Amino acid sequence: MLLSEGINQGFVIPTDYTRKLTLDGITQSYQVYKIRLDKLYYNDQNDRIATWVNKYKEENNIEDFDVLSDDYNQIIENFIFESNPKAIEKTKKNIELVGQREPGVVLNDGRIIDGNRRYTCLRKIHETNPNTNHFEAVILDRDIRENKKEIKLLELSIQHGEEGKIDYNPIDRLVGLHNDVIKNELITIDEYQKTVNESRASINKKIEQANLMVEFLEFIEAPEKFYIARDLELDGPLGEIPAILNKVRTEEEKEDLKLIIFSNLLMKPKGDITRFVRKIKTIADSEHVSDFVEEQLEFVEETAEKLVEFEDINSKVINNEFRSDEKLQNKMVQSLEKYEIKTKKDLTRMKPVQDMQKFYVTLENMDTNMFSKLSFEEQEELNQTICACKEELDKLSAKLGEMQADA
């Protein structure tokens, strides 16, 4: 039964409250209703739980949920809770104290578009307090199959545009971006960017990270098992990779370096993987990058051979079979640390040249027009400093000349 028919049945109660929403570019106020909890159901297409849904479908070998099944709401509720238990508990306590302050948004068939967390809290409160039995929300006369794009834009607008940046797991955010913009082309990049109110540069970076996430999962023979990226906490490393790849010139070098990084992400050789990957950036910008790549590609080959041994790659297999391989991990660590030391020595050796280059740039860009604004005493002080610099430069030049003569 549609919620619009529930007013006569008593499970939907009109209130005096309204909420402003923007649909199809038009902003207007919509009436808020009190809707009985058992007449509503979660939105399994909510980006906040994208990786949880992805994992459940993969483990249970299903394409879609049966929203009419008896256990559907409980399954999704578990995802909502597990995605951020602290936030759920905080919201629950707040609702118990002051009631539901922010109305949600639901479709006429009962699907919750905005307010899954509040609905979860109300359900949990209802378990011990049956008097808490309604969810306050706007009811939209829309069908998610016929209005999928419109509803997705509304969801993005509410959760990113109107309420500011929310606590999405970054990987869930990338999965939503991949599904809606890249893979299914439900919405365009321009529509996404405008709706979430972020710069185009920021969105482009996220798209690049989403593509790298997809490539990594394909590399480990686990295509579109996005929950693995969440379990491995890859959001930090994914943000570092583009800057590393930009350090090399050819596409072949980029592909080799990408495979090396992917192997390190899989094996997690040492400590914080984001910091570990970040060290590769320094090496990639040095004269040792070719030797580093050549050595590391051997470990990529070992990793690839190891991947062939398993028919099904998942988070458990990665932790138990790959990240427990201390022998391979140690070789990867030793290789990186060796080239890191070489790179640091080069940087230390080149520091006098870099310091002098910075000094030259400072002098070259000095605005001499400002000299006239100095007092006589300040001009004298500046002149004395210039003379002192000339003396030091003469000493440095003489010292360098002596060393060259002895060479």
Side-chain angles (χ1 to χ4, degrees), residues 368-379:
T368 56
N369 293 323
M370 297 298 294
F371 290 180
S372 61
K373 299 182 182 299
L374 299 176
S375 66
F376 179 79
E377 289 77 11
E378 290 170 335
Q379 290 177 351

Side-chain angles (χ1 to χ4, degrees), residues 117-166:
R117 178 182 291 174
R118 280 157 281 169
Y119 179 57
T120 297
C121 296
L122 289 165
R123 278 168 55 91
K124 289 187 173 297
I125 294 171
H126 176 73
E127 292 174 0
T128 56
N129 181 7
N131 291 326
T132 300
N133 195 31
H134 289 85
F135 178 66
E136 295 183 5
V138 167
I139 300 174
L140 297 179
D141 189 17
R142 300 288 196 283
D143 185 287
I144 198 164
R145 290 164 297 185
E146 298 178 4
N147 308 100
K148 192 170 184 178
K149 177 176 180 176
E150 178 185 18
I151 291 169
K152 174 55 68 173
L153 289 173
L154 173 64
E155 178 188 329
L156 290 171
S157 174
I158 291 172
Q159 298 184 344
H160 295 283
E162 296 181 9
E163 296 181 355
K165 302 298 180 289
I166 62 173

Side-chain angles (χ1 to χ4, degrees), residues 191-250:
E191 289 171 330
Y192 186 94
Q193 182 240 325
K194 182 179 179 181
T195 303
V196 301
N197 194 28
E198 285 187 41
S199 69
R200 184 59 179 265
S202 174
I203 299 303
N204 287 340
K205 286 182 181 178
K206 288 183 172 63
I207 289 176
E208 192 170 17
Q209 291 170 26
N211 287 331
L212 286 167
M213 173 182 65
V214 171
E215 289 184 62
F216 168 76
L217 293 174
E218 291 173 349
F219 169 78
I220 66 170
E221 303 294 338
E224 296 203 349
K225 292 185 181 181
F226 298 115
Y227 67 90
I228 293 178
R230 183 202 68 216
D231 291 347
L232 301 187
E233 299 180 337
L234 295 188
D235 52 292
L238 288 173
E240 299 290 333
I241 296 175
I244 299 174
L245 299 182
N246 287 335
K247 295 294 181 181
V248 293
R249 296 178 180 178
T250 70

Side-chain angles (χ1 to χ4, degrees), residues 261-308:
I261 295 169
F262 287 169
S263 294
N264 280 275
L265 292 182
L266 175 62
M267 297 301 300
K268 193 182 181 183
K270 184 179 180 181
D272 187 308
I273 189 62
T274 302
R275 292 179 182 176
F276 189 82
V277 169
R278 195 176 292 151
K279 292 178 180 179
I280 297 177
K281 180 165 64 175
T282 305
I283 298 172
D285 199 26
S286 74
E287 63 182 25
H288 304 291
V289 62
S290 296
D291 292 337
F292 171 75
V293 167
E294 184 178 353
E295 187 169 294
Q296 283 276 327
L297 283 177
E298 295 180 12
F299 309 138
V300 172
E301 187 174 343
E302 285 189 53
T303 304
E305 290 174 354
K306 196 175 181 68
L307 283 166
V308 175

